[in-house]
Amino acid sequence: MSVDQATLDSLLAGAFGATVVIDLSNDRILGASAEAQALLRQAPLAGHRFSTFVHGHLGQLIVFVDEVLHRGMAWTRRIQVTPRDGEALDCEINGKVAALDRGAALVLQITDLAELDSRAEAARVARLYGGGLHEWQRAQSFFSELEQQNQLILNAAGEGIYGVNADGKTTFVNRAAQEMLGWTADDLLGQDIHSKIHHHHLDGELYPSQECPIYQSFRFEEVNRIEDEVFWRKDGKPIRVEYVSTPIYEGKVLAGAVVIFRDITERWENEQKLREALEEVAALRDKLEQENAYLQEAINIERAHHDIIGQSPSIREILARIEMVSRTNANVLITGESGTGKAMVATAIHADSDRRRRPLIHFKCASVNPDMIESELFGHVRGAFTAALRDKPGKLELAHGGTLFLDEFADIPLEQQGMLLEALQSRRVTRMGDTRPRELDLRVVASTSRNLEREVQAGRVRQDLMFFLNVFPIQCTPLRERIDDIPPLTVHLLKLACKRLGIPVPVITEGIIRTLQRYDWPGNVRELANVIERAAIVSRGDKLRVDIRSVGAPAVRGAATLLTEAEVDQIRTANTIACLRETGGKVSGPGGAAELLGIRPTTLYSRIRKLGLQAEG
Ligand SMILES: Nc1ncnc2c1ncn2[C@@H]1O[C@H](COP(=O)(O)OP(=O)(O)OP(=O)(O)O)[C@@H](O)[C@H]1O
């Protein structure tokens, strides 16, 4: 190796970066570092003319070389270096002179400025990165501490708390929520929580998320407080919850919602039990009311209940018919004048029937104000009309399972007759003001003292109702047509009266019986009972003394004095008018016309109505 080559090698070995050594005498490159060969894309570089890499800036190179020779060293950025088959590069060139045996040589160190910039940037990023990493670690530990504190607070809360982001995905869930829902944080975090816990209503109806108040919280920026809904547990069971969902913000941007909920299942169950208990109490109260009403009815019936007394063919016929019909469910229509025992027959039918353990409801159609008939028959709910202060069952309902006795049914106004028929046929009744129909299972026994055919013709009784009721007719005979029954009836009624009055039973003579049998008895058995009671009082435990004239004009029996029906009606009318004059128009109560005539006030009222007379009270 020549001395020059050794110097050259040591020059290049000590060089940094792309370095070329150029022979100043002929512009040829004597040697180059590997970096220089890479930069100028020419390997080897030795032997090539350096000026071929700086064409375009040859003048600047000559000036620069002069400066290096003059000063021993110099640098420039005004020379672009163009690699072989490449584009010109902005470079910084440092030059110095090296002494070789063959003469002075130029040593150029070439730095690609673009690469220098990218290295500087990398260094800056590296510097930043180094510093940033530190900052990041500090922030992370700060946030994790914060989060730990938050988690501690959230987990200590007794309420279930969870957060959702604006996509409805769970962002956090506290321990209480996990315990109440049975879902773990792993199950829920990042998941669509609505579809996990809020997907259906309790009744099984789908719960679309757009209808969910929690979603609405962050859609419409509103706080929603819901008092009774369900969340679904992981095991598929619902829990009743109340919750508040509040929108949350990151800066000023709506980020989602936080939901705080409480399991109210136990509270709800207790409330439910309370509700049920109250309903039960109400039902019991209703039942008690019904029982009361029934007992009241039963007492009334009991008071009026006597054995049917008589041996006459007509009474035997009645008893036979009662026996025949009582075991069936057929409707019965009892006809006959007032006081002939129609109510007794109805009671006997019920008492002999399979329904005897259930109520016999006696509805006296003639004694109820027509305006009240509807509510009395069908019942009402509170507020159905002004006076309806509480729920009340009607007679039809009260008779459920038993027998309904419609006494003087022809007195029911036409409109209510239609409603009654409808209820009886459909076996359902709806209370006034109510919408709920109630089942009916009852047997109807109806009575009338009117001539039904005439009533139907006159349009006062619906024919269809008459047919419905008149499945099995029983005719009660007036007392005057069965005078054979007067002796046993007198004995029976006297015993009853004396027991009631607390006096000994007077003796009944044959003469008295004959007197009683001669009388016409327009008021029938009720009139007979009145006469006997009065007689018992005046007899004072001795012989029974009857003053038949005290009860009305005696009917002298016999063919010569027979009267026509019209004549009887005339006499009855005149008698009624006279009686009303006597009492000053007073119908019922002590000293009233009904008492004087020995008939029931309701009977007298309907007679007065029929005659078009005025009565008092
Ligand atoms: N055969 C009888 N045996 C015993 N008592 C009788 C008999 N018939 C009627 N009575 C008595 O006469 C009174 C009137 O009877 P009941 O009320 O049954 O007649 P009614 O035809 O329903 O009368 P109204 O049409 O005026 O309501 C009652 O006290 C009843 O006990």
Side-chain angles (χ1 to χ4, degrees), residues 13 45 151 161-162 187 212 220-221 223-224 235 303 312 333 336 346 352 363 453 484 520 540 560 566 572 576 615:
L45 264 176
Q151 283 295 338
I161 303 173
Y162 69 82
D187 292 329
C212 168
F220 307 114
E221 303 191 36
V223 175
N224 282 319
D235 58 14
R303 278 205 202 112
S312 62
L333 179 64
D352 282 0
F363 184 58
E453 273 170 24
D484 295 352
D520 187 49
R540 296 178 198 274
R572 186 173 287 141
T576 307

Side-chain angles (χ1 to χ4, degrees), residues 338 437 445 478 511:
S338 175
V445 176

Side-chain angles (χ1 to χ4, degrees), residues 9 16 74 174 185 187 191 218 260 295 308 360 425 475 518:
D9 287 347
F16 175 75
N174 78 341
D187 292 329
Q191 302 294 318
F218 55 78
I260 303 175
L295 281 176
I308 298 174
L360 165 68
Q425 279 178 331
Q475 167 79 45
R518 276 208 301 271

Side-chain angles (χ1 to χ4, degrees), residues 325-346:
V325 79
S326 54
R327 302 288 154 148
T328 72
N329 256 335
N331 293 340
V332 179
L333 179 64
I334 311 165
T335 51
E337 289 173 20
S338 175
T340 50
K342 298 188 294 296
M344 281 193 84
V345 172

Side-chain angles (χ1 to χ4, degrees), residues 5 18 65 76 175 188 204 256 311 339 372 433 441 443 581 613:
Q5 189 58 46
V65 171
T76 181
R175 189 177 301 145
L188 296 174
Q311 297 133 3
M372 295 306 292
D441 163 28
R443 185 236 203 115
R581 274 210 193 100
L613 299 174

Side-chain angles (χ1 to χ4, degrees), residues 306-309 338-344 489 525-526 600:
H306 309 285
D307 291 331
I308 298 174
I309 306 293
S338 175
T340 50
K342 298 188 294 296
M344 281 193 84
L489 270 173
V525 184
R526 188 175 293 109
R600 295 200 311 192

